[in-house]
Amino acid sequence: MDPDIQRELIPRDGDDEDTPDTPDPGTRRTPVAASLAPLPDHRNVNTSWWQELWRRHAHITTPLRQRGLECDIEFGLSAYIVHVALPDGSYLIIGPPQEPSSDRPPGNPEGWIVTRQRPDDHAMFEVIYDSTASTGPGAPERPEARNGGNATHVVEAIDQRLTQLGLLPVPRSSIGGPPVSSAPQPRAPEFPDRSRSADPTPYVYGDALLALTDRLNGTESHADAAALLHQILEPTEGLLERLGEFFEAAGEKAKEANQDDGFDLSYDLADAAAEIRNLGEVLHVAEDRMRALNPPPSAPRPSAAPPRTSRLPLPVLPPAQPRQRR
């Protein structure tokens, strides 16, 4: 991402110099804390797809970082979530409902769920806020449901509960209420260069798979590992199938040169596509076998909360080109 564009997307820590003194009509200015909680410290912070996800969730992360809370963007079962570390070792999960999945873009759900959990205490589970529509026949409508995807009410609920628990690093009185303006946020910091080499080429797709590998290394159960295998081995939309389509498309492109070497290259690429699909067929039961290694759960987990995932988010890759028929 171009640094000048990036600076316009993400709030700068403690820098309010570029914010106009006069707010846009219809908006309300909120005092800004002297500094924000630091950005996450992992390799994805320097990638364009993660920065875009961060920008889409800035209306949640910025007011929380003003309160001294460290935030990160992660991937739950079917949607991106905000992970917020708390001073007592517990954490907040803020996101849309994970089941069923929704086609709404990241950061703009139909409703928000906020839960507080602790990694070493599975019995501690608290729903702080839930503005999703009630489901099931005869289920009472929650008062928060009328707020839908409004982030202001999410931050207010977090403010109130963390103040009660004494877990708010920066008191509300020092920063005012949650920001409600939709105007552009202050300018962003330049992210540090965390590339593995001096090569300026952005390996977006390689980084995406590396993030998936890091998530696999950080899983706490074989069921979670099986879910990641599903991303690779699903026979119609998994990574192996998309990779096969890519090599087929590359073979068709080589044919367009109308040269002998182009036809030879197309055959090699077609063979590669066939080998990849064969690998998928060989491993088609790997997901079920991995899941079977997981011991039976001692007690069902509440369904209202997105699960805790690894610290690295999973990017959404552009869809593959339709398969071309020879």
Side-chain angles (χ1 to χ4, degrees), residues 290-303:
M290 179 68 77
R291 185 174 288 105
L293 298 175
N294 212 36
S298 56
R301 297 187 62 183
S303 60

Side-chain angles (χ1 to χ4, degrees), residues 44-207:
N44 291 321
V45 172
N46 199 44
T47 62
S48 59
W49 58 264
W50 189 91
Q51 292 170 13
E52 174 64 15
L53 284 171
W54 185 260
R55 184 189 69 81
R56 288 175 177 267
H57 291 83
H59 55 314
I60 293 288
T61 60
T62 298
L64 295 182
R65 293 177 65 216
Q66 289 174 355
R67 288 148 174 78
L69 299 170
E70 296 186 15
C71 305
D72 200 356
I73 307 296
E74 301 177 354
F75 194 78
L77 284 177
S78 63
Y80 289 97
I81 58 178
V82 178
H83 177 276
V84 183
L86 298 179
D88 68 341
S90 62
Y91 57 86
L92 301 179
I93 294 296
I94 309 170
Q98 300 290 299
E99 295 179 350
S101 60
S102 172
D103 294 332
R104 295 178 67 90
N108 184 30
E110 296 177 353
W112 295 96
I113 300 176
V114 182
T115 61
R116 176 171 170 253
Q117 306 173 45
R118 186 186 296 274
D120 56 354
D121 184 5
H122 296 296
M124 198 202 86
F125 180 87
E126 176 188 6
V127 178
I128 294 177
Y129 182 82
D130 187 351
S131 64
T132 60
S134 299
T135 58
E141 189 70 20
R142 286 180 288 270
E144 300 93 344
R146 67 172 66 95
N147 301 329
N150 189 311
T152 300
H153 298 284
V154 176
V155 178
E156 288 176 345
I158 293 174
D159 261 339
Q160 181 178 359
R161 183 54 180 154
L162 295 189
T163 299
Q164 294 173 349
L165 297 172
L167 296 177
L168 205 59
V170 179
R172 284 185 293 174
S173 59
S174 65
I175 57 176
V180 297
S181 173
S182 60
Q185 297 289 335
R187 305 182 79 184
E190 292 189 12
F191 287 86
D193 182 8
R194 300 182 181 177
S195 58
R196 295 180 295 276
S197 69
D199 185 355
T201 305
Y203 293 101
V204 178
Y205 306 100
D207 285 343

Side-chain angles (χ1 to χ4, degrees), residues 247-248 250-256 259-272 326:
F247 279 111
E248 282 187 342
E252 295 298 323
K253 180 60 65 175
K255 287 182 181 179
E256 293 177 5
Q259 299 175 12
D260 289 343
D261 191 52
F263 287 108
D264 290 341
L265 177 58
S266 71
Y267 299 145
D268 292 339
L269 293 169
D271 289 342
R326 293 194 294 271

